[in-house]
Amino acid sequence: MKPGLFQYVRADDVEKAVSLLQEFGDEAQLLAGGQSLVPAMALRMALPDVLIDISSIAEMRSITLTDDVLRIGAGCRYVDVLRSEDVARAAPMLVQAIPFIAHEAIRNRGTIGGSLAHADPASELPACMLALDAAIVLQSASGARTIAAEDFFLGTYSTALDEGEMIIAVEIPAIAVNQHHRFLEISRRSGDYAISGGAFVLEMDAGIITAARLAFFAVGDCAVLAGSEALLGKPLNAETIDQVAQRVGEEITFYGDLYNGIGAKRQITKTLTRRLLAQFPGMEL
Amino acid sequence: MDPLIPVSYTINGKSVQQQVSVRTTLTDMLRHQMGLTATHAGCEQGSCGACTVVVDGLMVRSCLIFAIQLDGARIETSEGFADDQLMDELRRNFADRNALQCGFCTGGMLVAAHDLLSRTPHPERAEIREKISGNFCRCTGYEAIVDAISKTAQALPLEDSGK
Ligand SMILES: Cc1cc2nc3c(=O)[nH]c(=O)nc-3n(C[C@H](O)[C@H](O)[C@H](O)COP(=O)(O)OP(=O)(O)OC[C@H]3O[C@@H](n4cnc5c(N)ncnc54)[C@H](O)[C@@H]3O)c2cc1C
Ligand code: FES
Ligand code: FES
């Protein structure tokens, strides 16, 4: 349970971090909150030769809301996001979702960038980013690029990050007046990884659904969107909810985990979909 | 031998200089180099909460931070509350209510309980449960721990309520 030896370098700004990434290539790993990487190192599943500590980069710790775009620096910890008024205003989903992530002590260190880069299929934030139609801002020594969340998550622990690239921020379109966010997960114990989870955004006009992004996590090899079309042009009622739950069960390629087989995952995800849709305005019991 | 790098901290109110290897976790630095063994090493992978300490005002897992990352930080361990009335009350109520058996989880539980009551002096039982949800106890079944924290809270003056 002790990590292997490594070389430790601290980057105080993004420029330094990307130049170190370029210098050390795939021998190096970034260290942000350490809440996934350090356990992996303790188990010697990760044995980086060089650790580039990015946890003190101040420019990645800011949260801003300008022109209806919420920008969250990759170095923001879950606790920073949870406490931000701009986040509460522009992306209420994150305030609903973050309490489900791990436990307080871990939320006090773990970062947004770390969670997205780690891309655990059971993680809450990748699904939130899909549902919120977020863009992920990447930086390397040769420049910056922005990629839609939908194109970023490729599979289990696999993302579109190229060698030498790091996440510096996410950009989320602020919630519109006719939009609603809901988040829910089903797990055995509070703080455990979910058996199935959902992050839903609905847009409604006079009781009819005009746009929908239903994202799921802990169900397949990475966070996925499913069932959204089945809602379009429909009123939100028991019949619609049944149809959507059915579609979600058909569209997702489910993966089992240690404790739940594919059949259980499908069933639980359909139940989750029903419960979550029933929480939207007009459906509250 | 690993190369050693000098770092300084404020630990339980005292400034401290240490030489650490890059791979020494905060848990091991506290236990092996400082002799502060109330911070326990349970799972050493972030699951159990036995190693809970407070760094710069936030409750964290000391097994998931390398000591070298914390140059200049203020660290509070469960030993650090010698003259703290709230911690005294917590300890007394833990003992009275049998909220510890083997005691392995107790240091982490006390740090979490103190952190909770110093922010939220009159928490609901559900808030107490949520706060210690990351701290495993293999002996008590938790009920006694929640009781002890709850009893401590009940004795706190009402006007301090941070809610
Ligand atoms: C007991 C326990 C329970 C947990 N439960 C949950 C849970 O329920 N849900 C959940 O989502 N997570 C959970 N986690 C994981 C936690 O959320 C991690 O904090 C998070 O996944 C990683 O963030 P980090 O900042 O700690 O990243 P680190 O551990 O520092 O890094 C993780 C990976 O991301 C890379 N990386 C970090 N930052 C960047 C960046 N800016 N750009 C590119 N790459 C980067 C690192 O090189 C590393 O490969 C749990 C962890 C523990 C220990
Ligand atoms: S020893 Fe740190 S959480 Fe178990
Ligand atoms: S008293 Fe034994 S683990 Fe809690």
Side-chain angles (χ1 to χ4, degrees):
Chain A
M1 299 307 286
K2 305 291 177 193
L5 196 53
F6 52 87
Q7 184 188 337
Y8 174 87
V9 273
R10 188 178 297 139
D12 291 322
D13 53 38
V14 171
E15 202 185 329
K16 179 82 191 290
V18 291
S19 88
L20 288 167
L21 272 178
Q22 188 178 37
E23 180 184 341
F24 292 108
D26 61 6
E27 288 167 19
Q29 236 178 319
L30 298 173
L31 175 65
Q35 305 299 290
S36 293
L37 184 54
V38 179
M41 289 174 66
L43 294 164
R44 302 213 177 188
M45 292 186 322
L47 273 167
D49 293 314
V50 181
L51 268 197
I52 304 171
D53 187 349
I54 56 170
S55 62
S56 52
I57 301 184
E59 62 187 298
M60 293 206 321
R61 290 291 292 276
S62 69
I63 300 178
T64 56
L65 179 59
T66 30
D67 299 332
D68 286 334
V69 175
L70 176 72
R71 187 181 162 106
I72 305 177
C76 290
R77 298 167 178 179
Y78 297 121
V79 58
D80 307 325
V81 177
L82 211 45
R83 287 180 182 170
S84 154
E85 282 173 23
D86 283 341
V87 171
R89 201 173 313 131
M93 171 177 292
L94 296 178
V95 181
Q96 300 166 22
I98 289 174
F100 284 97
I101 302 174
H103 306 282
E104 185 182 325
I106 288 154
R107 296 194 293 266
N108 284 341
R109 294 287 298 178
T111 67
I112 304 310
S115 170
L116 300 180
H118 189 55
D120 187 318
S123 273
E124 288 79 358
L125 283 189
C128 291
M129 295 303 140
L130 287 184
L132 295 169
D133 203 8
I136 296 169
V137 187
L138 309 179
Q139 177 85 45
S140 71
S142 49
R145 66 176 175 131
T146 296
I147 180 169
E150 257 176 278
D151 301 321
F152 183 74
F153 301 104
L154 303 179
T156 304
Y157 306 126
S158 166
T159 69
L161 270 170
D162 282 333
E163 197 178 304
E165 262 184 338
M166 64 186 282
I167 303 174
I168 58 165
V170 294
E171 292 178 347
I172 298 169
I175 189 168
V177 271
N178 56 348
Q179 279 185 340
H180 306 275
H181 293 179
R182 293 290 185 276
F183 181 94
L184 183 69
E185 69 181 52
I186 296 177
S187 64
R188 293 288 246 184
R189 287 173 300 259
S190 109
D192 271 8
Y193 283 100
I195 301 170
S196 174
F200 292 6
V201 177
L202 293 193
E203 203 172 289
M204 305 215 241
D205 189 10
I208 301 296
I209 295 150
T210 50
R213 292 179 72 86
L214 313 187
F216 296 85
F217 59 97
V219 294
D221 67 337
C222 62
V224 282
L225 291 164
S228 309
E229 279 91 57
L231 280 160
L232 298 184
K234 304 226 175 100
L236 192 56
N237 56 28
E239 195 192 336
T240 311
I241 288 179
D242 268 345
Q243 286 167 0
V244 175
Q246 195 58 34
R247 273 283 282 279
V248 166
E250 288 159 13
E251 276 180 32
I252 295 175
T253 306
F254 288 93
Y255 282 44
D257 60 31
L258 278 177
Y259 309 105
N260 301 278
I262 289 172
K265 286 265 187 186
R266 179 179 293 114
Q267 203 53 42
I268 292 167
T269 303
K270 284 160 77 172
T271 301
L272 172 101
T273 305
R274 286 197 193 89
R275 284 189 194 165
L276 202 37
L277 286 174
Q279 290 181 10
F280 279 86
M283 280 308 295
E284 296 108 336
L285 297 174
Chain B
M1 253 243 335
D2 292 6
L4 298 178
I5 295 121
V7 227
S8 29
Y9 314 95
T10 306
I11 299 178
N12 298 333
K14 289 198 207 88
S15 26
V16 168
Q17 265 79 45
Q18 284 291 321
Q19 305 276 328
V20 298
S21 158
V22 291
R23 60 171 154 174
T24 300
T25 61
L26 176 56
T27 315
D28 285 349
M29 190 276 283
L30 291 170
R31 291 178 57 80
H32 301 295
Q33 300 186 208
M34 299 287 302
L36 294 171
T37 51
T39 299
H40 285 176
C43 63
E44 304 187 274
Q45 47 175 296
S47 306
C48 75
C51 66
T52 304
V53 299
V54 174
V55 171
D56 290 332
L58 291 175
M59 172 176 97
V60 297
R61 304 252 202 259
S62 60
C63 70
L64 297 187
I65 308 179
F66 292 114
I68 189 156
Q69 293 185 269
L70 294 181
D71 201 16
R74 296 184 63 85
I75 299 160
E76 253 83 48
T77 71
S78 120
E79 289 98 337
F81 300 88
D83 307 315
D84 184 288
Q85 240 185 321
L86 175 57
M87 191 56 104
D88 272 355
E89 280 306 307
L90 279 165
R91 286 189 179 121
R92 187 172 7 257
N93 287 321
F94 265 62
D96 286 353
R97 182 61 186 87
N98 269 349
L100 63 154
Q101 290 175 29
C102 78
F104 198 87
C105 68
T106 312
M109 287 289 182
L110 286 170
V111 170
H114 187 277
D115 192 61
L116 174 66
L117 297 189
S118 50
R119 288 165 205 275
T120 311
H122 299 281
E124 308 285 333
R125 270 183 96 80
E127 288 173 86
I128 299 175
R129 288 187 168 281
E130 170 61 29
K131 184 75 180 195
I132 60 166
S133 66
N135 294 65
F136 289 1
C137 176
R138 289 303 188 225
C139 304
T140 64
Y142 301 101
E143 207 57 26
I145 297 177
V146 178
D147 286 349
I149 299 172
S150 174
K151 187 167 177 215
T152 310
Q154 278 157 25
L156 290 173
L158 271 177
E159 59 271 23
D160 284 358
S161 176
K163 279 207 274 182

